[in-house]
Amino acid sequence: MTIPIFVAIDVETTLNGNDDVGLAHPMHPDNEVVACGLCYDERKPYTTYDKESFLTHVCEMPPGAIICGHNLAFDLMYLYKESVFLKEELQGRRIWDTQLAEYILSAQQTKWSSLDELSVQYGLPVKDDKIKKYFEKGLGSDKIPSAELIPYLEQDVTNTAQIA
């Protein structure tokens, strides 16, 4: 039996929505992907601000790789909006959502778990919360210095891959 390869994906986005739909809503026309990341199992993560480069990496994933993410629907909606080709590539893959898996594994007791909560549960490092403070002030990823955003994104995909 072959052990599946999990590839964690995550996107960091703008917060240009409104109170009606939510600041980060993927379908708000003023919102877009700022940075993308992916990580194979426990390997070094790949992060980029270049969406075309990210597309190339997604297309190079092994055929049986399982896409995983935390609240994966959010990331997929943004990525589907980015490119028809990317949408088709991702829709042809099996997916695993760590947030949904936790909900099922906890007998539906843990609703909307955060990645930080699962990181603590699985003994993984928790992300630096200074990025969360930017988001709480309504500042999107486009307003966060890359020296701070990229390590945050790397931690997201690394922890997600290990949890999956």
Side-chain angles (χ1 to χ4, degrees):
M1 180 175 155
T2 309
I3 297 173
I5 296 172
F6 284 94
V7 179
I9 61 171
D10 189 44
V11 297
E12 300 301 336
T13 68
T14 57
L15 295 178
N16 296 324
N18 54 44
D19 290 335
D20 292 338
V21 296
L23 295 179
H25 197 285
M27 295 304 127
H28 191 281
D30 294 334
N31 276 336
E32 63 182 3
V33 171
V34 174
C36 310
L38 61 82
C39 184
Y40 286 69
D41 296 319
E42 294 182 22
R43 297 181 210 164
K44 181 173 175 18
Y46 169 77
T47 57
T48 184
Y49 284 89
D50 180 359
K51 296 168 201 163
E52 289 299 317
S53 174
F54 182 75
L55 173 62
T56 300
H57 276 75
V58 168
C59 292
E60 292 173 351
M61 289 187 297
I66 299 169
I67 301 292
C68 65
H70 192 81
N71 188 19
L72 185 56
F74 176 85
D75 303 287
L76 290 177
M77 284 194 288
Y78 267 104
L79 293 172
Y80 290 174
K81 189 170 100 168
E82 283 298 317
S83 150
V84 171
F85 185 75
L86 184 57
K87 178 180 179 181
E88 290 172 358
E89 179 66 29
L90 291 169
Q91 284 184 332
R93 302 282 181 162
R94 293 181 293 165
I95 62 171
W96 183 262
D97 187 322
T98 54
Q99 186 179 60
L100 180 57
E102 179 61 24
Y103 176 68
I104 294 167
L105 291 171
S106 71
Q108 302 174 354
Q109 299 303 303
T110 306
K111 296 178 183 173
W112 313 117
S113 62
S114 70
L115 185 57
D116 283 345
E117 290 168 342
L118 291 186
S119 296
V120 169
Q121 180 177 328
Y122 288 95
L124 300 170
V126 176
K127 298 174 293 188
D128 185 345
D129 70 347
K130 68 181 164 187
I131 300 298
K132 198 180 300 182
K133 291 176 183 170
Y134 283 109
F135 297 152
E136 288 168 356
K137 291 178 184 175
L139 299 173
S141 297
D142 54 328
K143 309 274 192 309
I144 300 173
S146 64
E148 295 176 34
L149 184 64
I150 293 302
Y152 178 86
L153 178 55
E154 288 175 348
Q155 191 73 53
D156 270 354
V157 292
T158 300
N159 283 15
T160 301
Q162 291 180 25
I163 291 167

